[in-house]
Amino acid sequence: MFRRFGDFVRRFMYGRYGADQLNIALLLSAIAVSMINSILTAILRNSFVYMRIINPSLSLLMLGLLAWGIFRMFSRNIYARQTENRKFRQLWTRLTDRKNRYYRCPKCRQMVRVPRGRGKISITCPKCGEKFIKKT
């Protein structure tokens, strides 16, 4: 019985994108928003503003995150989903990188990584050779 169901799921998911880091982040964010909404509902149960404005907004946000994650998981446009995931991973790396700062070249908009805590430094763009000064 379970083998037939597993075969059905395997056939259904064939050619679809599946889960990646962005999907996991979306689903965890939806769970976090749901928990925050539950806690706020328990605390602010009698608040008119919360029950009429904030609670539906948080519920809609949670459902939107879940829908986006499920849409990405079942999508057949693998190239677009890989591009979204690559951009998410780049953003996540920039947000969690404690040793470096990231600047854009004012001329060609190339992203340049420089070490933190060095004071004012002259940065040379590796793409176009433009020099600019920034404080790290």
Side-chain angles (χ1 to χ4, degrees):
M1 179 176 137
F2 291 115
R3 176 174 280 191
R4 285 184 16 202
F5 181 71
D7 291 341
F8 168 76
V9 171
R10 207 171 294 113
R11 279 191 311 270
F12 178 75
M13 289 301 290
Y14 184 77
R16 298 181 191 274
Y17 187 63
D20 61 2
Q21 292 88 359
L22 179 55
N23 272 358
I24 293 168
L26 287 171
L27 296 177
L28 289 176
S29 299
I31 291 170
V33 169
S34 175
M35 290 175 64
I36 290 169
N37 196 14
S38 298
I39 292 168
L40 288 176
T41 300
I43 294 171
L44 303 172
R45 187 172 307 136
N46 297 328
S47 172
F48 178 80
V49 173
Y50 175 75
M51 293 308 280
R52 296 287 185 230
I53 298 171
I54 299 172
N55 186 5
S57 300
L58 288 176
S59 296
L60 198 63
L61 175 64
M62 181 205 54
L63 289 175
L65 290 171
L66 283 175
W68 188 22
I70 290 170
F71 166 76
R72 291 188 78 255
M73 203 175 295
F74 294 140
S75 174
R76 289 184 182 254
N77 190 350
I78 294 173
Y79 178 74
R81 304 296 84 83
Q82 287 174 341
T83 305
E84 291 170 356
N85 190 46
R86 187 177 323 109
K87 289 180 181 179
F88 168 73
R89 286 194 340 241
Q90 288 172 348
L91 175 68
W92 187 256
T93 301
R94 285 184 57 196
L95 291 175
T96 58
D97 190 1
R98 302 278 183 215
K99 295 181 182 177
N100 299 304
R101 294 278 310 249
Y102 294 84
Y103 295 104
R104 287 203 181 272
C105 172
K107 186 174 180 183
C108 68
R109 309 299 290 165
Q110 170 73 30
M111 188 64 68
V112 181
R113 182 181 68 180
V114 295
R116 283 185 187 261
R118 303 294 168 111
K120 255 187 188 178
I121 60 172
S122 176
I123 303 168
T124 304
C125 176
K127 187 175 178 183
C128 68
E130 177 78 12
K131 292 188 178 188
F132 55 98
I133 297 174
K134 291 286 184 180
K135 183 181 177 190
T136 60

